[in-house]
Amino acid sequence: MTKLHLFDMDGTLLYGSAAAVEISRQLGLDREMAELERSFAAGELTPARFAQLAADLWAAELTEPHLAAAFDNAPWLAGIREVWADIRSRGERCAVISLSPDFFVERLLSWGADAAHGSRWPVVPIRQPVEPAGILTSAAKVRIADELCVQYGLTRADCVAYGDSMSDTDLFAAVPASVAVNADHHVRDVASYAYVGRDLREAYELVRTRG
């Protein structure tokens, strides 16, 4: 039997941060992004509206070097590459599914993820509007997980989800095993396991030898 490990990124692989926060930091737009993040967390913005406002904020300045610096300097958990290498050595699969822009999420393919799915954004530099249909939601994470299961010949019963917040609740409800990583109560209270710390290897060990 094999497994499919499904990782959220913001707040999960990224410790206490998100792609939008790290990108905005590179542009000196921390305060503006903090306000957007607050409004989104309060339910005042849909994912699509948040994405468009973030794109508007970055459009004049964001370049590929900014993006690379945001990724390279982000507060990633320790051990991500090692965990994914172990997963693949065991004949299992690992994927990242995040609401964040695909041009940030897909950089994780070079770290060993089998698949990386983010919201579909215009290419950098941003010159086009965000297409709302391309912005992922909590429910879309389940849809993508199902598509990956078909691709790899697996079912939901073979999945393990790792996440930290409300955008992960639908996926946690759909699969039999889940790990809340530095999580809020939305997922911590429904997860199979909970981890607090800065090393993905420790969170992974909770499920590595089980079932």
Side-chain angles (χ1 to χ4, degrees):
M1 187 184 81
T2 192
K3 288 182 183 177
L4 172 58
H5 298 257
L6 301 161
F7 295 89
D8 172 55
M9 186 183 71
D10 295 344
T12 302
L13 299 177
L14 281 170
Y15 182 81
S17 192
V21 172
E22 297 304 316
I23 292 169
S24 296
R25 182 171 292 128
Q26 291 297 319
L27 300 175
L29 297 169
D30 308 56
R31 181 181 59 80
E32 292 85 347
M33 179 51 62
E35 180 58 26
L36 287 184
E37 289 273 333
R38 183 207 63 76
S39 297
F40 181 66
E44 298 167 6
L45 299 174
T46 64
R49 182 58 179 160
F50 175 89
Q52 185 57 65
L53 291 173
D56 292 344
L57 187 63
W58 301 336
E61 298 183 55
L62 183 59
T63 64
E64 184 62 26
H66 288 128
L67 186 56
F71 184 90
D72 293 342
N73 296 315
W76 299 102
L77 291 189
I80 294 173
R81 293 176 180 85
E82 291 84 351
V83 166
W84 292 350
D86 186 77
I87 287 171
R88 299 181 75 172
S89 75
R90 293 160 64 91
E92 300 175 356
R93 301 282 189 168
C94 54
V96 181
I97 309 176
S98 170
L99 274 58
S100 281
D102 51 3
F103 52 63
F104 194 96
V105 181
E106 289 172 2
R107 289 172 177 262
L108 290 168
L109 291 170
S110 67
W111 287 15
D114 290 292
H117 291 265
S119 291
R120 190 170 65 250
W121 275 57
V123 297
V124 173
I126 298 171
R127 298 289 183 265
Q128 302 295 324
V130 172
E131 287 291 336
I135 303 304
L136 301 186
T137 62
S138 179
K141 288 191 172 188
V142 179
R143 172 181 57 78
I144 292 170
D146 285 340
E147 292 170 355
L148 289 170
C149 283
V150 171
Q151 179 179 341
Y152 299 135
L154 301 171
T155 70
R156 289 185 184 181
D158 304 311
C159 293
V160 182
Y162 304 74
D164 75 302
S165 63
M166 186 172 284
S167 70
D168 303 301
T169 53
D170 285 0
L171 187 56
F172 273 41
V175 303
S178 54
V179 183
V181 180
N182 298 314
D184 64 23
H185 68 91
H186 293 106
V187 293
R188 187 176 58 244
D189 295 346
V190 300
S192 308
Y193 309 95
Y195 171 73
V196 176
R198 302 193 67 156
D199 195 321
L200 188 63
R201 289 165 292 198
E202 296 171 354
Y204 170 57
E205 194 63 28
L206 296 173
V207 292
R208 181 179 184 272
T209 59
R210 292 171 170 82

